[in-house]
């Protein structure tokens, strides 16, 4: 239990980000303000997942330095297997006679578990390239990210019309939202920030300027996406996020909220909320029909309660998160 005061802003941002993921999956404002819902949750706030990956990369630096990479790899693999089994009914039952779809679910992860699968493989790749210079890593990651964005755009803008197999490929989310084109770039950015101690070098005013620039770029990109009728349900790669993701991580160190609140507990809540909320949404929508705002609020409430129970259970059964 923490008894000393420390900066918990990073953990607070992680919890808020998990709540924003829930809001997105519930279409928070869609029933009342579809344009605002698109520009915010489907646009500006798309930095949430990049932020998570940047945080992961930031702490992977310590894992690599401490020589605990094998332990980390084992832990994430077990985490993935446990939650894939937990949601097994939802991806096995509909595809029990389709081995290809079953295999794709196992490889890329069911629903939101794509994040865990991608994190595992992305972390392994980062470990393999960890000794390259910051400049080499930064340029390489930007190129990979652009490739992913290009593949996504080919599908979003219907640039490719044939052959059919290629059309299906560019519109298949894992073809761009994967460990190589999405996860690895942000893991590497977080890793570079920690390795270079860049998070300790920025002044508040500099960080604030970067936040404003990121917000403006995200807004412009979101409006353009809306203008071109791009469906942002699965198209989560935004050029602006390459800046916004790491900037949010940096803001957690430039600005401080000192508290004796258990930061580990907050971190656990952020993970548990992310992992359990899809089940809560399914259960709610099975029994009642709610409009988007009510669905979001009820899901958040029940997800918080469920997360508390998961955290208690994790004390006895490890590797739940």
């Amino acid at each position: 239990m923490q008894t000393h005061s420390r900066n918990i802003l990073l953990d607070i941002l992680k919890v808020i980000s998990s709540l924003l993921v829930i809001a997105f999956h519930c279409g928070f404002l869609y029933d009342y303000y579809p344009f605002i819902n698109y520009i915010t949750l489907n646009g500006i706030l798309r930095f949430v997942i990049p932020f998570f990956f940047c945080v992961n990369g930031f702490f992977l630096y310590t894992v690599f330095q401490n020589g605990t990479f094998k332990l980390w790899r084992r832990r994430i693999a077990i985490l993935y297997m446990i939650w894939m089994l937990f949601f097994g009914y939802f991806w096995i039952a509909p595809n029990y006679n389709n081995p290809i779809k079953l295999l794709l679910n196992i490889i890329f992860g069911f629903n939101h578990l794509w994040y865990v699968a991608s994190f595992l493989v992305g972390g392994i790749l980062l470990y393999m390239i960890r000794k390259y210079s910051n400049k080499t890593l930064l340029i390489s990651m930007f190129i990979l990210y652009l490739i992913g964005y290009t593949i996504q755009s080919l599908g979003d803008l219907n640039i490719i019309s044939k052959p059919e197999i290629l059309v299906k490929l560019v519109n298949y989310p894992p073809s761009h939202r994967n460990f190589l084109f999405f996860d690895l770039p942000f893991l590497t950015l977080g890793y570079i920030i920690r390795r270079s101690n860049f998070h300790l070098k920025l002044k508040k005013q500099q960080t604030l300027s970067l936040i404003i620039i990121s917000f403006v770029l995200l807004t412009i990109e979101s409006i353009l996406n809306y203008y071109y009728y791009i469906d942002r349900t699965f198209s989560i790669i935004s050029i602006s996020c390459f800046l916004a993701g790491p900037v949010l991580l940096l803001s957690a160190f430039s600005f401080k909220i000192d508290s004796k609140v258990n930061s580990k507990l907050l971190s656990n809540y952020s993970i548990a909320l992310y992992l359990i909320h899809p089940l809560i949404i399914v259960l709610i929508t099975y029994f009642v029909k709610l409009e988007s705002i009510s669905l979001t609020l009820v899901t958040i409430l029940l997800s918080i309660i469920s997360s508390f129970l998961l955290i208690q259970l994790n004390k006895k059964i490890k590797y739940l998160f």
Side-chain angles (χ1 to χ4, degrees):
M1 180 68 68
Q2 288 182 195
T3 57
H4 60 285
S5 180
R6 56 156 287 173
N7 180 22
I8 62 168
L9 182 55
L10 179 60
D11 300 297
I12 291 175
L13 289 175
K14 287 164 61 178
V15 172
I16 293 174
S17 296
S18 292
L19 295 177
L20 289 174
V21 170
I22 295 175
F24 167 75
H25 287 158
C26 292
F28 181 46
L29 297 173
Y30 183 79
D31 288 341
Y32 296 95
Y33 309 102
F35 173 75
I36 297 177
N37 186 78
Y38 185 97
I39 297 300
T40 55
L41 290 175
N42 284 4
I44 297 172
L45 298 177
R46 276 299 191 179
F47 62 76
V48 167
I49 298 300
F51 163 68
F52 273 134
F53 278 130
C54 285
V55 173
N56 294 149
F58 184 91
F59 288 107
L60 273 177
Y61 173 82
T62 303
V63 171
F64 298 163
Q65 290 297 107
N66 292 345
T68 56
F69 172 69
K70 289 184 178 179
L71 180 63
W72 171 87
R73 186 177 59 192
R74 176 174 177 270
R75 176 177 173 272
I76 300 301
I78 293 175
L79 174 80
Y80 180 64
M81 289 187 289
I82 288 175
W83 284 94
M84 281 294 286
L85 289 173
F86 182 83
F87 283 97
Y89 171 79
F90 299 101
W91 61 273
I92 295 176
N95 305 304
Y96 72 94
N97 60 346
N98 191 328
I100 294 179
K101 286 189 176 181
L102 286 173
L103 181 61
L104 289 175
N105 272 291
I106 293 173
I107 294 175
F108 295 111
F110 165 73
N111 197 279
H112 64 309
L113 296 179
W114 72 268
Y115 179 96
V116 185
S118 186
F119 180 30
L120 175 60
V121 181
I124 293 173
L125 289 177
L126 178 58
Y127 180 77
M128 295 170 61
I129 63 174
R130 69 192 187 282
K131 294 184 179 180
Y132 285 97
S133 69
N134 290 341
K135 181 179 180 180
T136 299
L137 289 177
L138 187 60
I139 294 174
S140 300
M141 293 307 108
F142 186 67
I143 292 174
L144 286 176
Y145 195 66
L146 280 180
I147 293 174
Y149 180 77
T150 301
I151 295 173
Q152 174 184 282
S153 298
L154 290 174
D156 289 341
L157 300 174
N158 298 312
I159 295 176
I160 296 179
S161 57
K162 57 183 180 179
E164 185 178 352
I165 187 172
L166 189 56
V167 174
K168 289 182 177 180
L169 181 61
V170 297
N171 284 285
Y172 183 51
S175 69
H176 45 81
R177 188 199 63 188
N178 56 44
F179 62 88
L180 185 62
F181 299 136
F182 187 73
D183 177 3
L184 183 60
F186 289 112
L187 283 178
T188 304
L189 286 175
Y191 175 79
I192 290 174
I193 288 173
R194 177 63 184 86
R195 185 168 72 174
S196 64
N197 285 321
F198 190 68
H199 60 297
L200 303 177
K201 299 175 181 179
L202 284 182
K203 297 179 180 179
K204 288 184 179 180
Q205 188 58 46
Q206 292 174 315
T207 304
L208 184 59
S209 297
L210 288 174
I211 292 173
I212 294 172
I213 293 172
S214 299
F215 179 81
V216 171
L217 291 177
L218 282 167
T219 302
I220 294 173
E221 188 172 358
S222 299
I223 293 174
L224 288 174
N225 287 334
Y226 184 84
Y227 176 78
Y228 285 105
Y229 303 103
I230 293 177
D231 182 359
R232 297 287 287 163
T233 304
F234 297 107
S235 299
I236 68 174
I237 302 180
S238 296
I239 291 296
S240 308
C241 282
F242 197 77
L243 174 64
V247 164
L248 188 59
L249 170 62
L250 292 169
S251 68
F253 297 95
S254 295
F255 305 94
K256 294 184 178 182
I257 297 179
D258 293 323
S259 173
K260 293 182 180 180
V261 172
N262 189 339
S263 62
K264 177 63 176 176
L265 181 62
L266 287 177
S267 181
N268 286 343
Y269 264 104
S270 71
I271 300 171
L273 285 167
Y274 180 85
L275 291 172
I276 198 63
H277 81 271
L279 178 62
I280 303 300
I281 294 175
V282 169
L283 292 176
I284 292 174
T285 53
Y286 180 80
F287 290 105
V288 294
K289 182 175 178 60
L290 299 175
E291 48 82 25
S292 57
I293 294 179
S294 297
L295 176 61
T296 302
L297 297 177
V298 173
T299 299
I300 287 176
L301 176 60
L302 294 181
S303 295
I304 290 174
I305 295 173
S306 300
S307 295
F308 171 78
L309 297 176
L310 279 174
I311 290 171
Q312 300 309 308
L313 184 60
N314 190 60
K315 295 177 181 178
K316 297 182 178 180
I317 304 176
K318 300 298 181 183
Y319 301 110
L320 288 182
F321 45 81

